[in-house]
Amino acid sequence: MKIATWNVNSLNVRMPHLKQWLVEAQPDVVGLQETKLDDPRFPDADIAALGYRSVFCGQKTYNGVALLSRVPAGECVVAIPGFEDEQKRVIAATIDGVRVVNLYVVNGKAVGDPKYDYKLRWLAAVRDWLAEEIRAHPELVVLGDFNIAPDDRDVHDPAAWHGKILCSTPERDALRALLDLGLHDSFRLHQQEAGHFSWWDYRLGGLRRNLGLRIDLVLVSEALRARCAAAGIDREPRTWERPSDHAPAWVTLAR
DNA sequence: ATGGTGGGCGACCCA
């Protein structure tokens, strides 16, 4: 079972990319972020033609998340319980017996910005929610655009990024609090090397100069850890014409 | 040099 995450930065623009990548990568489950489509505009028929069911929770212009799956998704949840939030950033469902939570974590803009405070409050609410989810569903995958680079190996220039947005200690502590629920960064179960990234800024020739961060993660619960056979990042779609600024990240779970 | 590119929308906001 191959499970992936991809921030597509507008599903309208990126449908051709998504199609090509689905054919090539053959994932069983995909969490999408930044679809930027309200629900009536979600292209579920086009995606069904590619062999995937869709559940989705979107809004116009900003945010928007979806889960695509080969088999039907059940028990779908589209908000953090008990947390007032206008922004469509979460969708969870049970697929083939695995609970999958797809997050589009708040970017935060800059340390100290009001959006940064919202990011930390949002992550605290997610932590409380996931504590309940992992209790109810021990076989849990939490994936998405976390907008946090877990440690300095995940940053092209740790000195330049030190303390900055996506790398600050409170953000990393908030991610740590999620991992402390009993989740593992699947990529680091298989790869310890620095310099593997999932996002490159459109500006400054970010991809060409490899000015990247690894902020797109697939976390697996302890109960799934032994089944986690491989993990990786598909850099290639980032090199295609008119790409998303993010690359897909994935994990395969053995039966 | 506090820049730059991209998406969506509608003449700025978000990343």
Side-chain angles (χ1 to χ4, degrees):
Chain A
M1 186 180 191
K2 184 172 183 178
I3 303 178
T5 178
W6 196 6
N7 180 324
V8 291
N9 186 16
S10 168
L11 187 52
N12 253 347
V13 174
R14 238 60 76 182
M15 265 306 282
H17 307 69
L18 178 64
K19 279 186 190 175
Q20 184 173 344
W21 177 75
L22 288 174
V23 169
E24 291 179 4
Q26 292 289 313
D28 297 292
V29 179
V30 186
L32 301 178
Q33 306 86 36
E34 283 206 89
T35 56
K36 299 186 177 179
L37 291 170
D38 56 19
D39 292 346
R41 292 179 179 274
F42 192 90
D44 49 340
D46 292 342
I47 287 170
L50 301 168
Y52 292 87
R53 318 281 187 117
S54 305
V55 290
F56 42 86
C57 177
Q59 64 186 88
K60 200 167 68 168
T61 309
Y62 305 119
N63 310 311
V65 286
L67 279 168
L68 316 186
S69 55
R70 290 287 195 189
V71 298
E75 301 175 273
C76 188
V77 170
V78 296
I80 304 167
F83 184 74
E84 280 292 323
D85 196 0
E86 297 294 303
Q87 304 191 8
K88 306 300 191 187
R89 295 181 172 276
V90 303
I91 187 163
T94 304
I95 302 161
D96 223 351
V98 177
R99 187 65 171 169
V100 181
V101 176
N102 177 20
L103 305 176
Y104 174 43
V105 175
V106 177
N107 175 286
K109 187 171 172 130
V111 174
D113 191 275
K115 293 192 179 102
Y116 181 78
D117 298 330
Y118 166 52
K119 181 178 196 170
L120 296 179
R121 281 189 290 109
W122 191 91
L123 284 163
V126 165
R127 197 219 75 94
D128 292 346
W129 174 37
L130 292 181
E132 296 304 316
E133 286 291 313
I134 201 164
R135 220 187 313 274
H137 309 276
E139 297 197 337
L140 176 67
V141 172
V142 183
L143 53 73
D145 175 0
F146 282 73
N147 270 317
I148 301 170
D151 66 58
D152 282 352
R153 293 174 296 173
D154 306 308
V155 182
H156 69 90
D157 185 345
W161 281 86
H162 179 76
K164 297 271 178 23
I165 193 69
L166 315 183
C167 298
S168 73
T169 300
E171 291 168 272
R172 285 177 169 173
D173 288 348
L175 177 59
R176 172 50 53 193
L178 303 188
L179 297 171
D180 284 347
L181 296 170
L183 296 166
H184 303 277
D185 179 354
S186 60
F187 189 82
R188 289 299 177 207
L189 295 178
H190 299 278
Q191 175 62 266
Q192 299 312 313
E193 202 172 64
H196 295 269
F197 307 131
S198 67
W199 170 83
W200 298 261
D201 203 304
Y202 285 124
R203 298 166 288 188
L204 292 167
L207 183 70
R208 180 175 50 80
R209 298 164 61 197
N210 203 29
L211 306 181
L213 302 177
R214 191 174 67 90
I215 57 177
D216 299 273
L217 310 178
V218 184
L219 313 182
V220 298
S221 63
E222 182 63 28
L224 291 175
R225 180 182 189 166
R227 285 175 57 193
C228 183
I233 300 167
D234 290 348
R235 192 176 186 276
E236 200 197 298
R238 184 63 179 82
T239 69
W240 295 344
E241 194 160 348
R242 210 181 178 192
S244 167
D245 44 353
H246 294 255
W250 53 266
V251 63
T252 54
L253 299 179
R255 282 290 156 197

